Amino acid sequence: MDDLELADWRERVARLYLSDADLVGFRAGRDELFATHPQSPIPAAQRTDFSGVRYYPPNPDAVVEAPLRPASGELRIDTGGPDGVVAYRRVAVAETPWGPLTLWWIEAYGGGLFVPLRDGTCGQDTYGGGRYLTDTVKGTFGRGVELLPGDRVRLDANYLYNPSCAYDDRWACPLAPPENRVDVPLRAGELAYHG
């Protein structure tokens, strides 16, 4: 049954990301999922007292458009968990005002776009290992990363979110590689979880 619950979790996440909810409604929907769903990354013992994820206030300056340049090469990350070693292929680099950020393609069945990053808030206000702008394998489509015509991308850091391992150490998560680390503090998106 865990597999069916996981399939349901991913469907609900995808529906939320693809919904027409504004940022406030999106965050409320995410909190509801985290509080009630059996596949929530929030430990089961903490869900009854869970009052929601903490976020920075909406920040219009955290939305940028950037040109993309082609990139090549591969990165392999040992998750330390049942996923084993996962391969990621560079597909493009976004030349953002924050610094260059690599967009990765997950080299697994079905694949998916993955954009982890670590910024100047990590380890202080936000999770020390970094946050994600998108992981489309997990259903996070179109809010943090939106591909635009003309080899451009729209990045919205208001949708930065913590990987599951930020809530519970039963999860193993790939963290931002060195090339996706920027010194700029991105005061947008999800704050560190204190359960």
Side-chain angles (χ1 to χ4, degrees):
M1 295 304 255
D2 284 351
D3 291 336
L4 295 176
E5 288 174 351
L6 181 56
D8 182 66
W9 169 264
R10 288 186 178 171
E11 179 182 344
R12 289 178 189 226
V13 167
R15 286 179 187 272
L16 180 60
Y17 270 81
L18 293 170
S19 75
D20 61 358
D22 64 7
L23 181 62
V24 172
F26 171 84
R27 289 176 172 181
R30 193 165 177 264
D31 283 346
E32 175 66 22
L33 267 176
F34 275 45
T36 62
H37 200 281
Q39 287 290 320
S40 170
I42 305 297
Q46 295 176 16
R47 288 186 204 145
T48 54
D49 296 327
F50 178 72
S51 60
V53 172
R54 299 177 322 120
Y55 297 96
Y56 283 106
N59 181 353
D61 295 331
V63 183
V64 299
E65 288 189 13
L68 293 171
R69 63 176 162 82
S72 62
E74 190 177 83
L75 174 69
R76 294 179 157 306
I77 298 176
D78 186 346
T79 65
D83 292 333
V85 176
V86 178
Y88 300 87
R89 180 174 39 89
R90 289 176 189 89
V91 293
V93 174
E95 297 293 349
T96 79
W98 316 317
L101 290 176
T102 300
L103 281 66
W104 300 92
W105 187 260
I106 301 167
E107 294 281 40
Y109 176 76
L113 194 60
F114 180 54
V115 182
L117 71 88
R118 191 174 195 287
D119 68 276
T121 67
C122 293
Q124 298 168 23
D125 296 340
T126 64
Y127 179 60
R131 299 176 287 168
Y132 297 169
L133 260 177
T134 196
D135 181 352
T136 59
V137 166
K138 303 288 174 67
T140 61
F141 299 100
R143 289 196 180 246
V145 176
E146 180 185 353
L147 299 174
L148 303 172
D151 295 325
R152 296 185 62 76
V153 67
R154 181 178 182 269
L155 304 174
D156 187 342
N158 289 293
Y159 290 95
L160 279 168
Y161 63 95
N162 292 331
S164 297
C165 54
Y167 309 103
D168 189 338
D169 59 12
R170 70 185 167 119
W171 303 100
C173 304
L175 302 178
E179 65 196 83
N180 274 33
R181 296 179 183 174
V182 297
D183 293 331
V184 173
L186 295 175
R187 292 187 176 87
E190 190 171 343
L191 293 162
Y193 176 68
H194 301 289

